[in-house]
Amino acid sequence: MKLIILDRDGVINQDSDAFIKNPDEWIALPGSLAAIARLSQAGYTVTVATNQSGLARGLFDTPTLNAIHAKLYREVAQAGGLVDSIFLCPHGPQDGCSCRKPLPGMYHDIARRYDADLTGVPAVGDSLRDLQAASAAGCTPWLVLTGNGPKTQQGELPPGTRIAADLSAVADALLQEA
């Protein structure tokens, strides 16, 4: 199985310091939906791993988050792609859970769900915590220079981190290497 793990905000859609609180605020980044389509058409199972502390903070509720994700699924499908699943951490930063990135709990859940060894699986993020969780799970971290990527690039990245302009460039590189 060819698996790829994507962060959501800042990778697939525009990020916001004020959180994405409703479907109208979820706006796909240019080229991201087509990139997911190319990956899924090439046989990749595309899954999303996203921290959603807005739930714990009371900024939105589960039905609203489900509506946001329904929009994501719908727009990816309209572009000819498929997101197979979305894994999320609903906890806040102080909740002490094992699923919130930079911890690798969500990635371990993905490995169990797909009965997959995550060694070398590409995991795309725009924040250091995305890369740290991916690295801790044995994935190959990819930093995109969308969302928080430019700021993240200034810091110390996990060993083996690959850098690409955006999700489309990641898809191009992976498909060219295949």
Side-chain angles (χ1 to χ4, degrees):
M1 167 195 285
K2 293 190 296 188
L3 181 65
I4 186 167
I5 302 169
L6 309 177
D7 178 49
R8 193 190 81 178
D9 302 333
V11 173
I12 301 172
N13 58 280
Q14 294 177 8
D15 200 356
S16 169
D17 290 337
F19 297 85
I20 306 301
K21 298 177 295 302
N22 63 63
D24 292 338
E25 294 178 358
W26 189 92
I27 300 166
L29 287 168
S32 67
L33 303 177
I36 293 170
R38 290 198 319 276
L39 289 164
S40 59
Q41 289 167 10
Y44 276 89
T45 298
V46 180
T47 188
V48 174
T50 179
N51 285 349
Q52 290 298 318
S53 67
L55 283 169
R57 298 169 198 259
L59 299 175
F60 49 84
D61 57 19
T62 301
T64 301
L65 183 60
N66 289 340
I68 293 167
H69 289 161
K71 181 178 181 182
L72 181 158
Y73 282 122
R74 185 173 57 254
E75 290 193 11
V76 168
Q78 288 169 348
L82 173 68
V83 169
D84 194 69
S85 59
I86 298 175
F87 288 75
L88 64 96
C89 170
H91 306 108
Q94 274 64 46
D95 289 346
C97 65
S98 64
C99 56
R100 184 173 173 78
K101 295 182 275 182
L103 297 176
M106 266 191 286
Y107 292 79
H108 295 161
D109 290 343
I110 290 167
R112 281 189 291 278
R113 159 86 179 267
Y114 293 103
D115 193 24
D117 176 1
L118 296 183
T119 303
V121 166
V124 184
D126 68 314
S127 296
L128 182 59
R129 66 178 170 257
D130 300 323
L131 307 176
Q132 291 170 327
S135 182
C139 297
T140 298
W142 281 79
L143 174 65
V144 288
L145 301 179
T146 51
N148 294 309
K151 182 176 71 177
T152 302
Q153 186 182 24
Q154 303 306 313
E156 190 170 330
L157 304 177
T161 298
R162 297 182 67 179
I163 300 173
D166 55 20
L167 186 53
S168 187
V170 173
D172 290 345
L174 292 173
L175 296 174
Q176 190 171 32
E177 292 167 12

